[in-house]
Amino acid sequence: MIVLGIETSCDETGVALYDHEKGLLADTLYSQVAMHSEYGGVVPELASRDHIRKLLPLVTETLKLAKLTAADIDAVAYTAGPGLVGALMVGAATGRSMAMGWGVPAIGVHHMEGHLLAPMLEDNPPAFPFVALLVSGGHTQLVKVEGIGQYQLLGESLDDAAGEAFDKAAKMLGLDYPGGPLIAKLAEKGDRTRLRFPRPMTDRPGLDFSFSGLKTFTMNTIRDLKVDGLLSEADKADIAAAFEEATVDTLAIKCRRALQQTGLKQLIIAGGVSANQRLRDGLEKMVKKEKSQLFYARQEFCTDNGAMIAYAGCQRLLAGQSSGLAIEAKPRWAMDLLESCR
């Protein structure tokens, strides 16, 4: 089965072709980051319009890269949610229409399930069951995964997601959008021992997260270190380093608790923040102590992409699932409500 995957949940247009026997055949991606950085964040209306302009040319390009035609496509998978409703509608309407025109089934895919399954695209994928840390601009969740569609939410952020906190801290430091990669780059120049930021909610039991207090602590530190209203470059780097260390430590502490509570020995990290090298290094050290294993996707599949949607959609289609003729776009969609692929 060859599945065309379409991702348009936010500010990246992704298209991919996945063959359940041969694996990933081709993938293309267009990022809107340059456009949105001018405004300091994603502008939903601009995102939707850009998806309209880029999606069909990317489909054509992806088919060309794979040396396939529309006649070779057996099914279409598109991101149905969660995400920006206008952006979701572009991918859903286009994907559903192409499937109808080609006479093949279509399926709406949960965006975070796509991220969760992205490490399965690697040569050494994890085996079920495992614990998953989903960490991005919109989500920070710990999930026990027994199989595709068999998800138990263990903990989640009660306010800002980790990626959102990175972006807001970056804005306080005068950095561009998106802030996560820029904070990480600036942190490399900082002294990681000079400042110590709090590790929120690690002094109490449970697996929930909260990053709003860390954001406030960052703001107050910036205020206290300013001289004549200005912050030195050295101070900026030290703050970035302290913020990154606190975030990484918090995530690692919660992941260790999740492994201990579930008794599982495999941890996967997925989502945009999983590309952070400091986080990967910190979790590698933690799982080594726990005699466990860490899995993650290659860098280009950490952020939004069509490959993860094609793969997730393919697994559900192989299990006999598909969506009806209605165009699905769900800006809010709980992952633990998904149908199992048993």
Side-chain angles (χ1 to χ4, degrees):
M1 175 183 286
I2 297 176
V3 178
L4 174 71
I6 295 172
E7 158 59 23
T8 62
S9 66
C10 190
D11 60 347
E12 279 150 331
T13 313
V15 177
L17 287 162
Y18 182 84
D19 186 318
H20 83 284
E21 294 181 340
K22 298 178 180 178
L24 186 64
L25 302 178
D27 71 284
T28 57
L29 183 74
Y30 175 78
S31 176
Q32 303 175 1
V33 164
M35 175 179 66
H36 294 297
S37 63
E38 182 179 346
Y39 302 95
V42 177
V43 181
E45 179 64 22
L46 295 181
S48 303
R49 293 184 182 188
D50 219 37
H51 287 309
I52 292 171
R53 285 194 292 266
K54 300 297 182 181
L55 182 52
L56 288 179
L58 281 181
V59 171
T60 301
E61 181 183 347
T62 308
L63 287 169
K64 186 177 180 180
L65 285 172
K67 298 180 180 179
L68 298 176
T69 68
D72 297 307
I73 306 303
D74 297 305
V76 177
Y78 59 87
T79 302
L84 302 174
V85 66
L88 291 169
M89 284 295 294
V90 175
T94 304
R96 177 66 264 181
S97 298
M98 287 193 297
M100 187 183 299
W102 295 339
V104 299
I107 188 162
V109 173
H110 193 289
H111 177 73
M112 295 310 295
E113 180 174 67
H115 275 303
L116 187 152
L117 297 176
M120 299 296 189
L121 292 164
E122 302 305 317
D123 293 335
N124 181 34
F128 300 112
F130 52 77
V131 171
L133 171 66
L134 302 178
V135 58
S136 66
H139 299 82
T140 301
Q141 297 177 323
L142 277 166
V143 182
K144 181 181 179 182
V145 182
E146 298 281 358
I148 296 176
Q150 298 173 253
Y151 308 128
Q152 178 188 352
L153 182 64
L154 301 174
E156 62 185 336
S157 180
L158 304 178
D159 38 60
D160 291 352
E164 186 180 4
F166 265 107
D167 288 339
K168 290 179 178 178
K171 191 171 184 178
M172 294 177 203
L173 291 170
L175 303 177
D176 289 335
Y177 172 88
L182 298 177
I183 284 272
K185 186 175 181 180
L186 182 60
E188 292 176 2
K189 304 175 184 178
D191 179 353
R192 296 183 183 273
T193 63
R194 178 190 167 198
L195 303 170
R196 179 171 175 82
F197 283 18
R199 277 59 173 163
M201 293 186 70
T202 58
D203 59 347
R204 66 190 77 175
L207 295 172
D208 286 330
F209 303 89
S210 172
F211 292 100
S212 62
L214 181 59
K215 180 185 63 179
T216 302
F217 192 92
T218 302
M219 180 176 64
N220 291 337
T221 302
I222 291 172
R223 181 198 61 202
D224 293 343
L225 291 179
K226 280 183 177 180
V227 177
D228 296 329
L230 298 174
L231 197 64
S232 71
E233 292 303 313
D235 285 341
K236 287 182 181 180
D238 291 349
I239 290 169
F243 178 88
E244 185 179 49
E245 288 294 293
T247 304
V248 167
D249 283 355
T250 299
L251 294 172
I253 289 167
K254 297 288 186 171
C255 285
R256 184 178 67 245
R257 286 184 188 174
L259 289 172
Q260 292 172 345
Q261 288 183 23
T262 60
L264 298 177
K265 294 297 182 180
Q266 295 184 111
L267 172 69
I268 74 127
I269 53 171
V273 182
S274 69
N276 182 283
Q277 191 58 51
R278 196 74 179 177
L279 176 60
R280 292 185 177 192
D281 292 344
L283 291 177
E284 286 282 10
K285 292 178 182 177
M286 182 275 291
V287 296
K288 187 176 181 179
K289 292 179 181 177
E290 295 296 317
K291 297 181 180 179
S292 301
Q293 290 178 286
L294 179 67
F295 299 85
Y296 43 77
R298 69 197 78 165
Q299 291 279 340
E300 59 264 35
F301 293 158
C302 290
T303 53
D304 295 349
N305 63 87
M308 67 184 193
I309 302 304
Y311 177 84
C314 184
Q315 304 313 304
R316 290 193 167 274
L317 288 158
L318 288 172
Q321 300 177 16
S322 63
S323 300
L325 293 176
I327 296 172
E328 293 183 285
K330 305 174 183 178
R332 294 184 180 275
W333 189 7
M335 197 168 66
D336 55 3
L337 298 179
L338 292 176
E339 184 178 352
S340 170
C341 278
R342 281 185 186 178

